[in-house]
Amino acid sequence: KKDYIPAIYSLGLCYEKGKGVKQNTNKAMKHFKYAASKGYTKALNKIKSFKVFDSEENEFDLSLTDIKALTEF
């Protein structure tokens, strides 16, 4: 049985926005990461668009290496 990657991505969007489910950024990112690992470009772009903060709440950009690491399982 194959995964339907667009549906997994869409579920991530639901978790991101709290549509039909309790908002949960961690679950959203899990779904985006899985979809991106399967080559789903929209998911990779969504991961790149997330704001990332360090422990002192300083925003920084993800490097391509960081993004590749996020999409590896």
Side-chain angles (χ1 to χ4, degrees), residues 1-68:
K1 183 176 176 182
K2 293 184 178 182
D3 294 327
Y4 187 60
I5 302 306
I8 292 170
Y9 171 77
S10 293
L11 183 56
L13 292 175
C14 291
Y15 278 114
E16 179 188 19
K17 303 294 183 189
K19 292 187 177 185
V21 295
K22 185 175 179 181
Q23 188 175 16
N24 186 320
T25 305
N26 290 330
K27 285 185 179 181
M29 184 60 83
K30 177 183 171 184
H31 287 82
F32 296 147
K33 285 168 47 176
Y34 183 77
S37 75
K38 299 296 182 183
Y40 197 65
T41 306
K42 285 184 178 182
L44 183 58
N45 290 335
K46 178 58 81 171
I47 290 169
K48 288 193 278 188
S49 73
F50 265 72
K51 299 284 185 198
V52 179
F53 297 88
D54 64 16
S55 61
E56 296 176 4
E57 297 297 318
N58 296 311
E59 185 178 342
F60 65 95
D61 292 324
L62 290 174
S63 70
L64 186 55
T65 302
D66 295 327
I67 292 166
K68 285 181 181 177

